Amino acid sequence: MKHTLKRKAWAGRLLAALTIFLITHCIHQYACKQMTAYQQMAYRTPNGATNYTQGPITVLLTILTHPANTEKRMAQRTTWIRDLPIGFKYAYIVGNLTSAGMTEHQAGVFKKEQEEYRDILEFPDLNEEYREIAEKVYRAFKWSVGGLSEGRVLPAYVAKTDDDTCVAPRNLAEVINSWPKPTPKMYW
């Protein structure tokens, strides 16, 4: 009984660590070549919006959030997100607004925020429920690395975090810069 609890605790901690920071390498040699080119990129979001950004992306931070968590997103934008090094980009990930149980006022505030910051990806066919978190993470990573077919420049690394988490961008950059250069393989 005691060993089972220890194994479950260990497995839980391991799963949490992998979920919090899952890093992937380039999938294909083409993506690695494209990352070095300095060009304007357009991210086509699931709801059809286009988010333009300049330069190669070393790290893409996908941040899971709920549409009603405006204050948490604003806190991140005014603290650690503003300190992101060159080559670091981020995107907030949400499900559809209908399943989020938002009032009309909350939905209006969310839409204004989405238009102003252009950093929120909405998956309209994904319910905004706790039991859908694994699907939300899967969709975020699929969107992150799915750009090769769309002609987008892919990030060298993708990380997942939440809207209630503080990331230390400079420390993350130091760790990533200490690693060997990415190869055209994907590691999990």
Side-chain angles (χ1 to χ4, degrees), residues 5-6 20 22-23 28-29 45 52 76 82 98 108 126 129-130 142 152 155 160 166 175 184 187:
L5 291 175
K6 283 184 180 181
I20 290 171
L22 178 65
I23 298 180
H28 191 274
Q29 183 66 34
T45 64
Y52 291 96
Q76 286 184 330
R82 70 175 183 211
T98 307
L126 179 65
E129 300 171 359
Y130 181 76
K142 186 176 177 183
R152 282 197 279 120
K160 177 260 177 206
C166 182
V175 169
Y187 296 94

Coordinates of all heavy atoms in Angstrom, one line a residue, residues 5-6 20 22-23 28-29 45 52 76 82 98 108 126 129-130 142 152 155 160 166 175 184 187:
L5 N 1.3 4.2 -3.1 CA 1.1 5.6 -2.9 C 2.3 6.4 -3.3 O 2.2 7.5 -3.9 CB 0.8 5.9 -1.4 CG -0.6 5.5 -0.9 CD1 -0.7 5.7 0.6 CD2 -1.7 6.1 -1.7
K6 N 3.5 5.8 -3.0 CA 4.7 6.5 -3.4 C 4.8 6.5 -5.0 O 5.2 7.5 -5.5 CB 6.0 5.8 -2.9 CG 6.2 6.1 -1.4 CD 7.5 5.5 -0.9 CE 7.8 5.8 0.5 NZ 9.0 5.2 1.0
I20 N 3.7 20.8 -17.3 CA 4.1 22.2 -17.1 C 5.1 22.7 -18.1 O 5.0 23.8 -18.7 CB 4.7 22.5 -15.7 CG1 3.5 22.3 -14.6 CG2 5.3 23.9 -15.5 CD1 4.0 22.3 -13.2
L22 N 6.7 21.0 -21.4 CA 7.0 20.0 -22.4 C 7.7 20.7 -23.5 O 7.1 21.6 -24.1 CB 5.7 19.3 -22.8 CG 5.8 18.3 -23.9 CD1 6.6 17.1 -23.3 CD2 4.4 17.8 -24.3
I23 N 8.9 20.2 -23.8 CA 9.6 20.9 -24.9 C 9.8 20.0 -26.1 O 10.1 18.8 -25.9 CB 11.0 21.3 -24.3 CG1 10.8 22.3 -23.2 CG2 11.8 21.9 -25.4 CD1 12.0 22.8 -22.6
H28 N 11.2 18.7 -38.6 CA 11.7 18.4 -40.0 C 12.8 19.4 -40.3 O 12.9 20.5 -39.8 CB 10.5 18.7 -41.0 CG 10.8 18.3 -42.3 ND1 11.4 19.1 -43.2 CD2 10.5 17.1 -43.0 CE1 11.4 18.5 -44.4 NE2 10.9 17.3 -44.3
Q29 N 13.8 19.0 -41.1 CA 14.9 19.9 -41.4 C 14.5 21.2 -42.0 O 15.1 22.2 -41.7 CB 15.8 19.1 -42.4 CG 17.1 19.9 -42.8 CD 18.0 20.0 -41.6 OE1 18.1 19.2 -40.7 NE2 18.7 21.2 -41.5
T45 N -4.9 31.6 -36.5 CA -5.5 31.0 -35.3 C -6.7 30.1 -35.7 O -7.2 30.3 -36.8 CB -5.9 32.1 -34.4 OG1 -6.9 32.9 -35.0 CG2 -4.7 33.0 -34.0
Y52 N 0.4 38.7 -36.6 CA 1.7 38.9 -37.2 C 2.8 39.1 -36.2 O 2.6 39.8 -35.2 CB 1.6 40.1 -38.2 CG 0.8 39.8 -39.4 CD1 -0.6 40.2 -39.4 CD2 1.3 39.1 -40.5 CE1 -1.4 39.9 -40.5 CE2 0.5 38.8 -41.6 CZ -0.8 39.2 -41.6 OH -1.6 39.0 -42.7
Q76 N 0.1 38.8 -16.0 CA 1.2 38.2 -16.7 C 1.8 39.1 -17.8 O 3.0 39.3 -17.9 CB 0.8 36.8 -17.4 CG 0.6 35.7 -16.4 CD 0.3 34.4 -17.1 OE1 -0.3 34.4 -18.2 NE2 0.8 33.3 -16.5
R82 N 6.3 40.8 -20.4 CA 7.0 42.0 -21.0 C 8.5 41.8 -21.0 O 9.2 42.6 -21.7 CB 6.6 43.3 -20.2 CG 7.2 43.4 -18.8 CD 6.8 44.7 -18.2 NE 7.5 44.7 -16.9 CZ 7.0 45.3 -15.9 NH1 5.9 46.0 -15.9 NH2 7.6 45.3 -14.7
T98 N -19.2 29.8 -25.2 CA -20.5 29.3 -24.8 C -20.4 28.3 -23.7 O -21.1 28.4 -22.7 CB -21.2 28.6 -26.0 OG1 -21.2 29.5 -27.1 CG2 -22.6 28.3 -25.6
G108 N -18.1 40.1 -23.8 CA -17.8 41.4 -24.5 C -16.4 41.9 -24.1 O -15.6 42.3 -24.9
L126 N -13.9 23.4 -28.9 CA -13.4 22.7 -27.7 C -14.2 23.3 -26.5 O -14.2 24.5 -26.2 CB -11.9 23.0 -27.5 CG -11.2 22.5 -26.3 CD1 -11.3 20.9 -26.3 CD2 -9.8 23.0 -26.2
E129 N -13.9 23.2 -20.2 CA -14.2 22.4 -19.0 C -12.9 21.8 -18.5 O -12.0 21.5 -19.2 CB -15.2 21.3 -19.3 CG -16.6 21.8 -19.8 CD -17.5 20.7 -20.3 OE1 -17.0 19.5 -20.3 OE2 -18.6 21.0 -20.8
Y130 N -13.0 21.5 -17.2 CA -11.8 20.9 -16.5 C -11.4 19.6 -17.2 O -10.2 19.3 -17.4 CB -12.0 20.8 -15.0 CG -10.8 20.2 -14.3 CD1 -9.7 21.0 -14.1 CD2 -10.8 18.8 -14.0 CE1 -8.6 20.4 -13.4 CE2 -9.7 18.3 -13.3 CZ -8.6 19.1 -13.1 OH -7.5 18.6 -12.4
K142 N -0.5 20.8 -31.1 CA -0.8 20.5 -32.5 C -0.7 21.8 -33.3 O -0.2 21.8 -34.4 CB -2.1 19.8 -32.6 CG -2.4 19.3 -34.0 CD -3.7 18.5 -34.1 CE -4.1 18.1 -35.5 NZ -5.4 17.5 -35.5
R152 N 4.3 28.3 -42.2 CA 4.7 29.2 -41.1 C 6.1 28.7 -40.6 O 6.5 27.6 -40.8 CB 3.8 29.0 -39.8 CG 2.5 29.8 -39.9 CD 1.9 29.9 -38.5 NE 1.2 28.7 -38.1 CZ 1.4 28.0 -37.1 NH1 2.4 28.3 -36.3 NH2 0.7 27.0 -36.7
P155 N 8.5 27.1 -34.2 CA 9.4 27.3 -33.0 C 10.4 26.2 -32.8 O 10.1 25.0 -33.2 CB 8.5 27.5 -31.8 CG 7.3 26.7 -32.2 CD 7.2 26.8 -33.7
K160 N 4.4 24.6 -22.3 CA 3.1 24.8 -21.9 C 3.1 25.3 -20.4 O 3.9 24.8 -19.6 CB 2.3 23.5 -22.0 CG 0.9 23.6 -21.4 CD 0.8 23.0 -20.1 CE -0.5 23.1 -19.4 NZ -0.5 23.1 -18.0
C166 N 4.1 31.9 -12.9 CA 5.0 32.9 -13.3 C 6.3 32.2 -13.9 O 6.8 31.4 -13.3 CB 5.4 33.7 -12.0 SG 6.6 35.0 -12.4
V175 N 18.9 28.3 -19.8 CA 18.8 26.9 -19.8 C 18.8 26.4 -21.2 O 19.5 25.5 -21.7 CB 17.6 26.3 -19.0 CG1 17.4 24.9 -19.3 CG2 17.8 26.6 -17.5
P184 N 16.8 18.0 -36.4 CA 15.5 17.8 -37.0 C 14.7 16.6 -36.5 O 14.2 15.8 -37.3 CB 15.8 17.7 -38.5 CG 17.2 17.1 -38.5 CD 17.9 17.7 -37.3
Y187 N 11.6 15.2 -29.7 CA 11.8 14.4 -28.5 C 10.6 14.7 -27.6 O 10.2 15.8 -27.5 CB 13.1 14.8 -27.8 CG 14.3 14.5 -28.6 CD1 14.9 15.5 -29.4 CD2 14.9 13.3 -28.5 CE1 16.0 15.2 -30.2 CE2 16.0 13.0 -29.3 CZ 16.6 13.9 -30.1 OH 17.7 13.6 -30.8

